[in-house]
């Protein structure tokens, strides 16, 4: 049984022979700009097919990858903190840290010092 | 012409297909750009870390957010813009498909590849329906390209014959030419050279046969490209 039976049909065509590839190329125009599908519509469609965002561009500033600064050495003892929070708050916090090029602990310190 | 090379399955031959066609078209005089949208940047590495004199232009550092801007900045400069996509089902892939004139879906003759290719084709069809709502003349054509096939004359596997039969029965368009498993194609990546630059290198194997394979594939691609252009012009006028 075909693996493709549930797909719409298309048409195949035979390539011509005779003319050289250079001749054929001479007839191919330069590409033209075309309006794009709204990303929202495209993403919504893609989601129904199991596609998902894998974009990490929020980790980029002006096209330059943000390198999280190496954690500074400290003589103070450290402890792990794991926090569950709403996604919106999580994104806001990461943006806050990235924009200031702070580690997460430095960002928490900056936020605490702001009060 | 914007050509997206896509199959959510990794290792199906997307980057190989892109590099082979892009460098060959450039060799015979076409203006060619490759947008390397694979996070592993295989084409970008080939260009920047190798010594090839091929004049293909390669752009990396694309993501979901900037893809359309990157494409718009290049589109008027080239006859062919290839988008080598990552082997995942991401929004970057779907957006690239929505902007393409043609989607090449490389497939090896394996059940996993075929299932993933079906996923790519279904989204092509849905994206085309969506873009035609605001531009009825717009088409997103697609073609399956069977990759890593035996050299001409060698026995064809049962799974490949079944795949070809399935495609025919379902009316799925495909390249009549396949991309054979060739030492020369591997050498292009390993040595970071174009096919033409491998002349005289014994590591390339049967270079002449590889060249014939790419030439036939490129001719078929240009034929599809020409038909797409004329169909679009006819629909735009009507």
């Amino acid at each position: 049984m075909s693996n493709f039976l549930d797909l719409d049909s298309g048409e195949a065509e035979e390539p011509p022979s005779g003319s050289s590839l250079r001749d054929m190329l001479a007839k191919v125009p330069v590409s033209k700009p075309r309006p794009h599908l709204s990303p929202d519509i495209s993403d919504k469609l893609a989601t129904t097919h199991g596609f998902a965002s894998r974009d990490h561009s929020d980790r980029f500033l002006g096209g330059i990858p943000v390198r999280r600064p190496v954690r500074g050495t400290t003589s103070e003892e450290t402890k792990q903190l794991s926090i569950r929070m709403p996604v919106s708050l999580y994104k806001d916090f990461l943006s806050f840290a990235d924009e200031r090029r702070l580690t997460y602990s430095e960002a928490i310190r900056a936020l605490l010092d702001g009060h | 012409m914007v050509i997206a090379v896509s199959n959510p399955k990794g290792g199906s031959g997307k980057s190989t297909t892109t590099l082979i066609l892009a460098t060959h078209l450039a060799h015979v005089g076409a203006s060619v750009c490759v947008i390397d949208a694979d996070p592993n940047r295989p084409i970008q590495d080939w260009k920047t870390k190798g010594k090839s004199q091929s004049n293909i232009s390669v752009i990396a550092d694309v993501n979901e957010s900037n893809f359309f801007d990157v494409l718009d900045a290049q589109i008027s400069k080239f006859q062919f813009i290839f988008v080598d996509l990552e082997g995942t089902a991401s929004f970057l892939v779907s957006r690239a498909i929505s902007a393409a004139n043609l989607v090449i879906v490389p497939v090896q003759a394996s059940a996993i590849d075929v299932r993933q290719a079906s996923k790519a084709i279904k989204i092509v069809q849905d994206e085309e329906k969506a873009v035609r709502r605001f531009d009825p003349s717009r088409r997103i054509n697609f073609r399956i390209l069977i990759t890593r096939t035996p050299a001409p004359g060698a026995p064809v596997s049962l799974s490949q014959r079944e795949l070809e039969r399935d495609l025919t029965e379902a009316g799925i368009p495909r390249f009549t030419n396949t991309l054979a498993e060739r030492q020369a194609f591997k050498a292009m990546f390993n040595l970071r050279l174009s096919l033409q630059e491998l002349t005289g290198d014994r590591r390339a194997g049967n270079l002449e046969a590889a060249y014939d394979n790419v030439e036939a594939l490129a001719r078929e691609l240009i034929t599809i490209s020409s038909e797409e252009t004329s169909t679009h012009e006819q629909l735009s006028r009507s």
Side-chain angles (χ1 to χ4, degrees):
Chain A
M1 183 176 171
S2 170
N3 290 297
F4 292 97
L5 287 179
D6 55 341
L7 296 171
D8 295 345
S9 63
E11 293 179 2
E13 60 286 302
E14 292 295 322
S17 56
S19 55
S20 78
L21 200 52
R22 284 180 195 275
D23 293 340
M24 293 170 74
L25 270 178
K27 296 172 187 165
V28 178
V30 170
S31 309
K32 289 179 186 170
R34 305 189 299 180
H36 297 300
L37 187 62
S38 156
D40 288 343
I41 295 172
S42 175
D43 294 351
K44 197 173 174 183
L45 268 174
T47 303
T48 64
H49 290 284
F51 285 59
S53 176
R54 296 178 191 275
D55 200 350
H56 305 290
S57 55
D58 59 343
R59 313 292 293 170
F60 286 70
L61 291 174
I64 302 165
V66 174
R67 290 199 182 278
R68 193 166 291 288
V70 177
R71 289 172 190 276
T73 53
T74 173
S75 57
E76 191 177 338
E77 184 187 359
T78 59
K79 289 207 171 194
Q80 185 86 20
L81 175 65
S82 177
I83 314 168
R84 183 165 289 276
M85 65 183 83
V87 172
S88 58
L89 178 58
Y90 171 84
K91 286 183 175 175
D92 288 347
F93 177 70
L94 260 59
S95 296
F96 176 86
D98 282 348
E99 284 164 11
R100 292 161 182 78
R101 301 175 71 88
L102 299 173
T103 64
Y104 295 157
S105 63
E106 288 168 347
I108 291 172
R109 169 53 63 198
L111 290 166
L112 287 172
D113 290 348
H115 284 274
Chain B
M1 184 182 207
V2 179
I3 301 165
V5 185
S6 176
N7 183 337
K9 162 90 169 43
S12 57
K14 292 181 287 294
S15 298
T16 304
T17 301
T18 302
L19 185 64
I20 288 170
L21 283 171
T23 52
H24 191 73
L25 289 170
H27 173 71
V28 292
S31 54
V32 183
C33 174
V34 175
I35 296 178
D36 189 347
D38 182 334
N40 295 319
R41 301 179 182 183
I43 311 288
Q44 170 81 343
D45 282 354
W46 179 89
K47 179 75 174 174
T48 59
K49 295 180 181 174
K51 294 179 179 174
S52 175
Q53 298 299 306
S54 172
N55 61 357
I56 62 167
S57 180
V58 181
I59 295 170
D61 293 329
V62 289
N63 53 55
E64 288 167 18
S65 306
N66 70 5
F67 174 75
F68 287 141
D69 293 335
V70 170
L71 180 62
D72 286 345
Q74 303 302 323
I75 199 162
S76 304
K77 303 176 190 171
F78 299 95
Q79 288 171 292
F80 297 93
I81 297 181
F82 288 86
V83 187
D84 181 28
L85 289 160
E86 58 186 335
T88 55
S90 72
F91 286 171
L92 176 56
V93 171
S94 60
R95 289 184 190 183
I97 286 172
S98 77
N101 301 88
L102 172 69
V103 180
I104 298 177
V105 186
V107 172
Q108 287 185 66
S110 77
I112 296 173
D113 269 43
V114 169
R115 275 198 295 275
Q116 292 297 317
S118 295
K119 201 171 180 176
I121 293 168
K122 284 175 183 172
I123 200 159
V124 170
Q125 293 175 332
D126 273 5
E127 295 274 2
E128 184 184 55
K129 285 175 192 164
V131 294
R132 288 182 67 184
R133 286 189 193 119
F134 66 84
D135 182 358
S137 68
R138 191 96 158 246
R139 293 283 183 277
I140 307 176
N141 291 316
F142 67 89
R143 294 290 184 285
I144 294 279
L145 173 63
I146 305 176
T147 59
R148 298 188 179 173
T149 58
V156 175
S157 68
L158 177 62
S159 54
Q160 185 181 329
R161 283 203 297 270
E162 285 177 349
L163 171 59
E164 289 173 346
R165 187 201 60 209
D166 282 357
L167 293 171
T168 303
E169 284 179 358
I172 299 299
R174 71 174 177 96
F175 282 87
T176 53
N177 293 283
T178 64
L179 194 61
E181 177 96 60
R182 289 252 170 230
Q183 195 61 35
F185 300 150
K186 290 177 185 168
M188 284 178 74
F189 272 101
N190 292 340
L191 304 174
R192 296 191 172 115
L193 294 170
S194 70
L195 208 53
Q196 292 74 25
E197 291 164 333
L198 288 169
T199 303
D201 194 316
R202 294 171 64 184
R203 289 169 289 186
N206 188 344
L207 199 55
E208 191 178 344
Y211 190 90
D212 288 346
N213 190 171
V214 180
E215 175 83 3
L217 204 54
R219 290 175 71 89
E220 195 173 354
L221 178 67
I222 295 171
T223 304
I224 294 166
S225 163
S226 304
E227 287 173 357
E228 196 275 339
T229 304
S230 80
T231 303
H232 180 77
E233 284 171 356
Q234 283 172 10
L235 289 169
S236 297
R237 281 195 295 269
S238 61

